[in-house]
Amino acid sequence: MKRRVVYGAGALGIIAIVFALTMGLSFGKFSSSEKDVKLGASTPPISQVSPVAEELSNTFVSVANAVTPAVVQIQVTATPKAVNVPNDQNQPNDMFKFFFGPDFPFHNFNMPTPKPSPEHAIGSGIIVNNDGYIITNNHVVQEADHDGIKVTLLDKRTFDAKLIGRDPTTDVAVIKINGDNLPIVSLGNSDSVHVGEWVVAIGNPMGLDYTVTQGIISALGRNINIIRNQYGIEDFIQTDAVINPGNSGGPLVDLHGQVVGINTAIATNTGTYEGYGFAIPINIAEKVAKDLIDHGKVVRPYIGVQIQDVDQTMAKALGMKDPTGVLVQTVESNSPAEKADIKPGDVIVKFDGQKIDHANQLQAMVASHRPDDKVNVEILRDGKAQDMTVTLKERNSGEFASNNPDESSTATTLESLGLSVQDADKSTLDKYDEKHGVIVTNVVSGSEADQRQLHQGDLITSVDNTPIKSTGDLEKAVSTRKPGDALLFRVTTSNKTKAFLALEIPEK
């Protein structure tokens, strides 16, 4: 009996050992077999790729590698205007009125004024020379605090940037960093681009650093009415390369790796990409940037005409076979156009040898020249073609906003009210049917001027019934008043409407 028990125990032990060894070997074999598992097919489904497609793909890779290092991320810090919380019994806050009624003694409460919190935004830019100058959009940096612009490169170097100047009429701005071994972009010729051409957009959309998208040029010469300035120049390149908030100021690049545009806007109902984006032609941006760097302002010529597109009905009325060119509505007195004998009713069909089809196209062509340039202009008068030579002159009507205007400039910024103004010349005053005044060149979003409906392009003719004949007069009128005082502005709008506006000097 005892021997049978011993044998049983021994048999169980042997079985246990065999089971353990078997499981161990099996488990070990299973574990080691993981290294031998093969996933996916051993050969690609397509053995040969079209050489054209592969070359195009490689081109996009080359463009991204070549251009991205010279694209920067721009971080802007802006402090909005303080929110005033009424604590006067006569002006109770609506929330308190709702809960406590209009007869509640609001004057017993000393409601603190909330301090504005800094806001942050991200845009893009391109380094255009070894000195550290960067082209971006005006709307990217226009609200920036002093020392509120920082730039980060692809190699993660970060710099404080200085604002060199801004041009609201083209939405171009220039900032500058100080650094060594800075990568720079190559600038192309936007006049030579074509609809259907492949392009690449690079930037920092929606917080996604250094994003590259591709598409084609969808259209040229677009005017989308986003520049709220009486001298605004819109001649955008339209593209279906994906552009989103944060791309602003970044480059639109051709397949040679040359920048042909500065990404600026999108067509959207949601605030994000819906199919089309718009870029400032680099020829315009480059000219503006050079002016801001060299002169601290935009040296912009003008021809001195008011124009409109010619449609089919207008062409028929003018006896033209096809709707082409732009119709001259008025000619400014003593302007380059008047001196060249251009008259109302003429149709400008060519400018400097280039065919004209739209008013914004002519504006862009004039802006790409310099004052004192002599330009051949072909017109149709009474159905007959005539050639005119126009000598362009500089416009002195406050169409630029410079961060550092030179001492001879009449540009002035009134920070307390949030507006910039410049002396108006005789030509501008004639447009408004006024004998004196200063032109508003910029209004800061959310400022007192903005909230009281003062707009860029308005002419300020008096303050508190005192005539304003220069920017110095306006500065004096404002400087003599203290925070909390209100000033009565007399304003003439660009359509010659006159109005009174009351502006209060904000508490500091």
Side-chain angles (χ1 to χ4, degrees), residues 56-78:
L56 180 60
S57 178
N58 291 335
T59 299
F60 287 133
V61 173
S62 298
V63 169
N65 289 338
V67 181
T68 301
V71 179
V72 303
Q73 182 188 89
I74 299 174
Q75 299 158 307
V76 174
T77 300

Side-chain angles (χ1 to χ4, degrees), residues 1-13:
M1 184 70 179
K2 292 182 179 179
R3 179 177 300 174
R4 191 174 297 166
V5 171
V6 171
Y7 287 161
L12 288 174

Side-chain angles (χ1 to χ4, degrees), residues 288-366:
V288 169
K290 286 181 177 178
D291 281 350
L292 292 174
I293 293 168
D294 294 340
H295 308 290
K297 65 177 184 178
V298 178
V299 181
R300 179 161 293 135
Y302 81 113
I303 189 172
V305 292
Q306 290 186 350
I307 54 179
Q308 73 172 64
D309 290 354
V310 175
D311 59 17
Q312 185 65 50
T313 302
M314 181 67 73
K316 186 183 296 185
L318 293 170
M320 299 170 57
K321 293 181 179 180
D322 300 305
T324 186
V326 292
L327 177 66
V328 176
Q329 294 279 17
T330 61
V331 178
E332 294 180 16
S333 176
N334 202 37
S335 67
E338 184 184 64
K339 292 179 180 180
D341 197 34
I342 294 176
K343 300 180 183 298
D346 290 344
V347 177
I348 299 175
V349 292
K350 285 187 179 179
F351 183 86
D352 199 22
Q354 298 186 55
K355 184 181 177 182
I356 299 295
D357 287 314
H358 302 286
N360 64 308
Q361 183 185 7
L362 179 60
Q363 288 178 305
M365 288 183 179
V366 172

Side-chain angles (χ1 to χ4, degrees), residues 209-285:
D209 299 349
Y210 302 101
T211 296
V212 179
T213 59
Q214 59 79 24
I216 62 170
I217 292 176
S218 307
L220 298 171
R222 287 296 197 212
N223 184 343
I224 56 176
N225 297 313
I226 62 168
I227 298 179
R228 304 301 182 186
N229 185 290
Q230 62 176 334
Y231 300 117
I233 297 172
E234 295 192 14
D235 191 40
F236 292 118
I237 298 171
Q238 179 180 310
T239 179
D240 64 352
V242 177
I243 295 173
N244 270 307
N247 272 115
S248 291
L252 188 69
V253 186
D254 65 18
L255 296 189
H256 295 284
Q258 293 188 303
V259 178
V260 295
I262 302 297
N263 299 321
T264 298
I266 54 178
T268 179
N269 294 314
T270 63
T272 56
Y273 177 77
E274 291 184 13
Y276 299 110
F278 302 93
I280 301 166
I282 195 60
N283 290 13
I284 293 177

